[in-house]
Amino acid sequence: MFSTFFLIAAFSLMLISGCGSSENSAASPPPQIKPSAAQTHEYLSITNTEYVNETDQSDGMTMNVYTYDLQTKALTKMTDLPYNSQYPLTVVSLADNTTYYSGTGQNKGDELFAYDMKTHQVKQLSSNLFAVNAIIPNVAEHTLMLAAVKQGERPVKVMFLDQDTQELTVLHEQDSDTTTWDIAYDPKAGKAYAIQYSEEEQYQQMEKSNQTQKPMIPPRHTIIEIDPETKQTRKIFELQDEQILTLSARGDQLLIATAKYINKRPIRYSLVDVKTGKRQELKLPIKASSELFLNNEGDGFYFLGEKGNGSSERGIYFYHMQSKKIETIFLQNEGFINNFMLLSEPVQK
């Protein structure tokens, strides 16, 4: 009854490619990611949509916003916001004391808003967007990173919003063929990452699938690294004939989920070395196609989906890669979990 897909899936399918300088190895244990020397406070920001009257959508819907403290394991409801966007998306920045979210603007489409959790004031931060698929706060000083679509355009672009000047910088703005499926940020390295593919190649693969009546094979997909300060980019990893569903970045490692065909299982999980592009496949019992987040210690990750092993209960879980134990964080008992994010902020001394 609730939409589980990004708005952009309505006019562009998730695609990704597979096999450049990658090598698979499922036998050896996953590499460890060295913890950062700087002390940080980490938490999850969670979006859970529910009916206002708890029965049907006649009275509208609301986005209930939660945080989950990874140290104290305390779940706190931060606020609730009206669900009037095409895709319900929120993220709490404790450092800013602000919840950023997608909402309906004056034009047809979604804009980016900020809700000040102290003053309870709402501020619209953008004015020319059509859809907002991802929001990552503080990728640089007073800078938000977005995966979004401008009014009148088709591709999903990586964008950076300077909150001091309100200036919106679009990465590779003149490229009308490349679209962005997902973005991630590594607070340790201070680098951002994006999954991208060609819309023309996607269309060609779609035509082949229609003609042959066989599952759609994804076009080539590329993961790029982005410096949020300079906006310089470099290619990290490329796959052919394999769909990348999501990615997470932490300590020179990428955690990715992939599938051989569009919207088809099984899903494969791999770690990719950012420096070498080497890929190591992980054998996992879980079922998750979005929202994977490596933890700070590098010995596990948080995910949205099912924990497997006979359980079909959807929720947010933590998987420890050495012990193979799964910890339940937040179950989908009421409403629908649309998204969540792992965030890291410096500890105030």
Side-chain angles (χ1 to χ4, degrees), residues 198-215:
S198 162
E199 290 203 344
E200 177 60 30
E201 287 185 29
Q202 171 189 273
Y203 177 77
Q204 293 172 1
Q205 294 296 77
M206 189 184 301
E207 287 292 288
K208 290 179 183 178
S209 175
N210 291 336
Q211 291 170 6
T212 61
Q213 293 298 297
K214 293 182 178 180

Side-chain angles (χ1 to χ4, degrees), residues 40-68:
T40 58
H41 170 235
E42 297 204 322
Y43 62 97
L44 304 181
S45 175
I46 302 168
T47 310
N48 194 68
T49 52
E50 299 179 27
Y51 294 130
V52 171
N53 61 18
E54 300 181 357
T55 304
D56 56 45
Q57 56 186 341
S58 59
D59 294 325
M61 296 176 65
T62 184
M63 299 186 294
N64 290 330
V65 185
Y66 299 88
T67 58
Y68 179 84

Side-chain angles (χ1 to χ4, degrees), residues 268-283:
R268 300 170 63 195
Y269 305 93
S270 305
L271 285 171
V272 178
D273 189 290
V274 168
K275 294 181 178 179
T276 65
K278 185 177 180 181
R279 179 184 183 183
Q280 179 178 325
E281 187 174 352
L282 305 175
K283 298 298 184 182

Side-chain angles (χ1 to χ4, degrees), residues 61-332:
M61 296 176 65
T62 184
M63 299 186 294
N64 290 330
V65 185
Y66 299 88
T67 58
Y68 179 84
D69 190 290
L70 299 188
Q71 281 192 317
T72 65
K73 301 187 183 301
L75 179 70
T76 305
K77 183 175 179 180
M78 306 302 292
T79 186
D80 55 72
L81 297 165
Y83 172 15
N84 55 22
S85 59
Q86 300 168 94
Y87 173 67
L89 176 65
T90 75
V91 58
V92 175
S93 172
L94 294 179
D96 299 339
N97 205 34
T98 299
T99 297
Y100 300 99
Y101 67 99
S102 60
T104 300
Q106 292 183 344
N107 299 317
K108 186 178 181 180
D110 295 346
E111 298 288 356
L112 178 65
F113 291 83
Y115 172 76
D116 189 307
M117 292 184 290
K118 276 188 176 178
T119 66
H120 307 295
Q121 297 297 308
V122 173
K123 182 178 182 180
Q124 184 172 328
L125 301 181
S126 67
S127 59
N128 193 34
L129 298 181
F130 174 72
V132 182
N133 281 6
I135 307 167
I136 303 178
N138 304 317
V139 296
E141 189 172 3
H142 304 297
T143 300
L144 300 174
M145 181 179 177
L146 311 174
V149 182
K150 275 193 168 185
Q151 286 281 348
E153 297 184 5
R154 180 183 178 91
V156 185
K157 294 286 188 178
V158 177
M159 304 181 188
F160 295 91
L161 178 69
D162 187 313
Q163 293 180 261
D164 292 331
T165 65
Q166 297 291 295
E167 181 182 0
L168 188 67
T169 302
V170 181
L171 192 70
H172 303 154
E173 188 168 12
Q174 302 307 313
D175 185 347
S176 61
D177 179 56
T178 302
T179 201
T180 298
W181 179 249
D182 198 8
I183 57 175
Y185 178 66
D186 180 1
K188 286 187 175 182
K191 303 293 184 182
Y193 299 87
I195 302 169
Q196 299 185 324
Y197 61 84
S198 162
E199 290 203 344
E200 177 60 30
E201 287 185 29
Q202 171 189 273
Y203 177 77
Q204 293 172 1
Q205 294 296 77
M206 189 184 301
E207 287 292 288
K208 290 179 183 178
S209 175
N210 291 336
Q211 291 170 6
T212 61
Q213 293 298 297
K214 293 182 178 180
M216 182 176 168
I217 298 174
R220 179 180 66 254
H221 276 62
T222 302
I223 296 176
I224 63 169
E225 181 182 79
I226 309 163
D227 187 318
E229 296 278 2
T230 66
K231 310 302 186 290
Q232 295 296 309
T233 65
R234 71 181 183 97
K235 184 168 73 174
I236 297 294
F237 187 62
E238 191 173 89
L239 291 178
Q240 189 70 38
D241 300 339
E242 196 171 354
Q243 176 186 12
I244 299 181
L245 301 167
T246 189
L247 83 166
S248 171
R250 186 64 71 99
D252 291 330
Q253 294 286 337
L254 300 178
L255 175 62
I256 61 173
T258 64
K260 189 173 182 181
Y261 300 105
I262 296 297
N263 297 328
K264 297 285 185 181
R265 291 187 176 182
I267 297 173
R268 300 170 63 195
Y269 305 93
S270 305
L271 285 171
V272 178
D273 189 290
V274 168
K275 294 181 178 179
T276 65
K278 185 177 180 181
R279 179 184 183 183
Q280 179 178 325
E281 187 174 352
L282 305 175
K283 298 298 184 182
L284 303 175
I286 69 170
K287 294 179 181 179
S289 58
S290 66
E291 275 94 3
L292 299 175
F293 293 98
L294 286 162
N295 69 343
N296 186 57
E297 292 74 22
D299 58 5
F301 60 89
Y302 298 87
F303 69 94
L304 172 59
E306 301 170 13
K307 61 182 180 180
N309 295 325
S311 172
S312 59
E313 196 167 20
R314 190 173 186 268
I316 298 171
Y317 301 92
F318 176 74
Y319 181 85
H320 190 276
M321 289 191 280
Q322 269 63 51
S323 69
K324 299 182 180 179
K325 291 182 178 180
I326 299 178
E327 177 187 354
T328 300
I329 305 295
F330 186 94
L331 291 179
Q332 186 175 290

